[in-house]
Structure formats: structure tokens, C-alpha cells
Amino acid sequence: MNALSQAIAKRRTFAIISHPDAGKTTLTEKLLLFGGAIQLAGAVRARGEQRRARSDWMTIERDRGISVTASVMSFEHDGLSFNLLDTPGHEDFSEDTYRTLTAVDSAVMVLDAAKGIETQTRKLFEVCRLRDVPIITFINKVDREGRETFDLLDEVEKTLALDVSPVTWPIGMGRDLKGVYDLVADQVVLFEQSRGDHIPEAIDLALDDARLDQLVGAAAAAKLREEVALVRGACPAFDLEAYRNGHLTPVFFGSALRNFGVRELLRGIGRLAPPPRPQPAEPRVVDPREDKVSGFVFKVQANMDPNHRDRIAFFRLCSGRFRRGMKVKHVRSGKTMAIFNPVFFLARDRELAEEAFPGDILGIPNHGALRIGDALTEGEDLRFTGIPSFAPEVLRRVRLDDPMKAKQLRKALEDLAEEGVSQLFKPLNGSTWIVGVVGQLQFDVLATRIEGEYNLRAGFEDAPFETARWITADDKLLIDKFVAANGPAMAEDRDGALVFLARNAWTLSRAQQDFPQLRFSSTREQH
Ligand code: G4P
């Protein structure tokens, strides 16, 4: 194996998907702890506090106690390089979350043992499924009374149409929790009432070993043996191929809060999760082992300092060995760029990246040249596919409080649209812009940032539109006819693509009936 292949084999780039409160933040923190990236529990939150203190526009996160922006945490453990991409889990979230999932090779789905699959878990799962992203399930909070274990597995299997294959199995739950049994390694990990950073050791123990009875009690041992026999009969054996193709999920049980079952999960990610996968692109799929560097921007974030208009582009390297200072082609503009200051995001801070390999996420500081979906290559005109814009679910008309500042406001809205915070539509009849977002909360984010960073006040008024669709057709005349028939409802997005703003679901379906040859798309690929 050459150096590039070795580096690829070592990388695990993944995200955690969950419904709010299932324990994603706690699990992230514990993965970093078990991965040796942080020493003390509480560091993720502490880091969050610091970040908030430095950044005005994040006041909103503080006020609401939620995390609006996603970030990346990289750490080395057990000879592997892990890149953990954070996906905000609030119910009202931006397209950021979806796009982050385009940059990972696998995901960990965290479920609350008392709640099972919740709405947000399901939405995020669907996004993973679109790309066949392999999923490891972590059933969290087994230190509390939860639902029946078999019931939970059944729910995952039925609602997500996914085979389940438990890797660990809880010995009791809630007050009776005694430990977890690792069905693959034949090891028992006993539960200790710890909340700090103590990590309980695993003990090699066959299921029929009499010591098990002494360790967890005869009744718990008997129940475990019975359940394991049932599981082995009812669930398919773990099949790496099926998991990596997104058809089967290995299941781990634990309690992130109590440091329990997390090490087994981390090992599981290391052992099972795929290294960087080939990336779909036009005109060809990109293999990570190719010599030439290529990758794409999946997220853009304004720099932490609101007084500067610097941005950080989050760039997923898809192939080749990247070296600091190297020149790459910015495919959208055709220009050559030298990347002098790429950074890695570590658990606690950033570090200048001297070299990077496929699967790595680089932060590239820039002044707005890099947009979401942009490809950087060593010359080839590649376009990475599957990085979508989503039809907004809430549309508002921008109110210009001070007409003298219209130009600045437009700039602010365009900047923020470029970051993927919102979408901007310009009605063809010249009336004021319409801003669209996927979740209501994004309007608060927008207003706060426009005020904090641009010193402008913008209002958003109700617009008579409920949804939007991108319109395309093979026949240009048909499009002209549609535009003529729907004048005030026609707009362009920031790339000049034609958009139909629909008053409601009825007008949309009516338009679709009247123009059956037109394509009404609820997502649009970048560019
Ligand atoms: P999120 O990022 O998915 O929204 O969840 P987060 O980790 O913030 O956890 C949500 C709540 O669930 C927190 O309680 C957290 O302590 C608790 N929690 C997480 N994992 C476990 C677990 O394994 N067992 C138990 N019993 N609780 C768990 P909170 O009261 O909202 O916050 P805090 O006061 O503990 O910070």
C-alpha cells in the first residue's frame, strides 16, 4: 500500500444524527474523551461558551440554548484519524445540516432509549439514505428506564426499513443496569455509577461462564443468556457489506452521560465504519486513491470576528494528497488559487494544516470567493453532485426600512445566502426580494446577523407565498408560456435559475397539472 492508501485506510469521517435531547452533545464530548482528544468532561460545552463569547451573532444560540452552526472535530485514536462533523439537531434548522451529511462517509444515529425514533432522527436518516450513508445506531440513556430493548430494535427495523444487528446488549436497564455484553468480542463491561471521566474496563467473558452470574447476579445473567439467544435467532448476523451499503445497522447500547458503552461504540466506528468513499461527481466518480487533489466546499461560515468579512470554507478533500501552499483550480471561476492557510479543526482549537488526505476537512479562509458546492481540483473540470439547495418552507418579503441603505441590505442578504443561511429570490417583476428559509428560526438568525454584522435593520413581512419550486423544461417556449401565465409569482434565485413561488399547495398542484411537461423541483443542485 502506498502512503496515500494507508492514510485513506486510517480515516473515519462521520457525523452524529439525532433528535434534540437524545444526547448528541454529551456523546460528542465522550467520544472526544475516550478518543483522548480532551481530558475533562465538559470541554465541548466550555468550548461552546468561549466561542459564543467571541461572536456576537451567536447571541441567538446562547439565548435559545441551541447550537445553530455546525463544526468539525478531528482527533487521532488507536492509530486512526477521526473527523467528527457536528450537525445541529434543533427542529428548526438550516440546509447546513443536510449538506454536512454530504461530506461524511458514515453516521452514528443516537436514540433516546425511552423515546426511540423521533421526527428529527427520521428526517436526517432520510438524507443519509439518499446517499446510502452507512449508519451505526447508539441507543443512549440506558441508565434510565427506557422502552423494551426488543421493542426499540423493532421500531428501527420497521420505521426505517433497515436490518438491525446488535453488537452490544444491555444487561438490565435503568436502576437495574448492570452492564453491557459485547456480542462480538465476548466481553462484559460492568456498569459503575460514575459521572466523571473514569472509563470502566472490559472483561473477556464467554456468555456461559459462571463468573458472569457472580458479576451481575444470577437473575440478570439468566435473562441476558435468554435475550442473547433470542437476538441471535431473530436478528441477522452482522454483515459488513450490508452495513456499508446502508441496508443494515449495527446497534450499540450505552449511556453517554455515564461514560458507558462509549468506548465500545468508538471501537465499533473504528472497526466497521468505512474509510473515505468514492464521491459522486460529473462527469465521473472520484476515487479517493487518485493522485490528484480534488474536493468540494460543503459549508461556508463567517469568521468568528464579526468586524471582518472573512469566511471559512469547509472543504472536504475527496482525493489525492493535499499540501499547504499548493495551487488548485477553482472550477466555477476557472481561476487558480493557492491555499496558504488551510486549517484543521481539532477538538479544542485550530491548527495550520501542512498536509491533508481524503476524508479530511480543511477550513479555507477566504473573502467570499468560495461558495457552497464549489469544487477545487488540480485542473480537471469536476462538479461534485448531491449538494442540494432545498425548496424553502417559509418565505418572507424583505422590508426596506431605510431606502438609502437598499444596496447594503442587498449585499448583506446576498452574503448570507452564499453562506447557505437563507435563499434569496428576485421577483421578475422587480418587486422587493423574497427571502426563503427551510426553518422559521433562520429568520431570527438572519435579522440578528444583519444587525450585528452590517449594522442594518431589516424586517421580514408575510409574503403571499408558501413554497417555491425550481422550474426547468426542455422546451424554452414552454417556460416562456409559464412565465407569462404566472408573472407575479416568478422569480430568479441568486444564480439566475427560474423559480415559481407558489401561493399554496393547491396553486402548485394546479400549475403542475396545467404544465405537465415542466419539471417542478423541490431541490436544486448547486450551480
Ligand atoms: P442533544 O445534544 O442531543 O440535544 O442532547 P444533550 O447531550 O444536550 O443531552 C440532553 C439531556 O440528556 C441532558 O440533560 C443530558 O445530560 C442528558 N443525557 C445525555 N446522555 C444521557 C444518558 O446517557 N443518560 C441520562 N440519564 N441522561 C443523559 P439536561 O438536564 O438537559 O442537561 P444537563 O443539565 O445535564 O446539561
Side-chain angles (χ1 to χ4, degrees), residues 19-26 45 140-141 143-144 255-257:
H19 190 82
D21 263 357
K24 183 171 55 102
T25 312
T26 315
R45 282 178 211 273
N140 190 30
K141 305 198 188 181
D143 58 314
R144 284 216 296 231
S255 163
L257 187 66

Side-chain angles (χ1 to χ4, degrees), residues 402-415 433 450 454 456:
D402 180 355
M404 301 299 287
K405 299 223 166 114
K407 220 171 136 196
Q408 285 101 310
L409 182 59
R410 181 190 181 119
K411 170 90 173 72
L413 289 167
E414 279 177 348
D415 280 354
W433 313 303
I450 289 173
Y454 295 85
L456 294 170

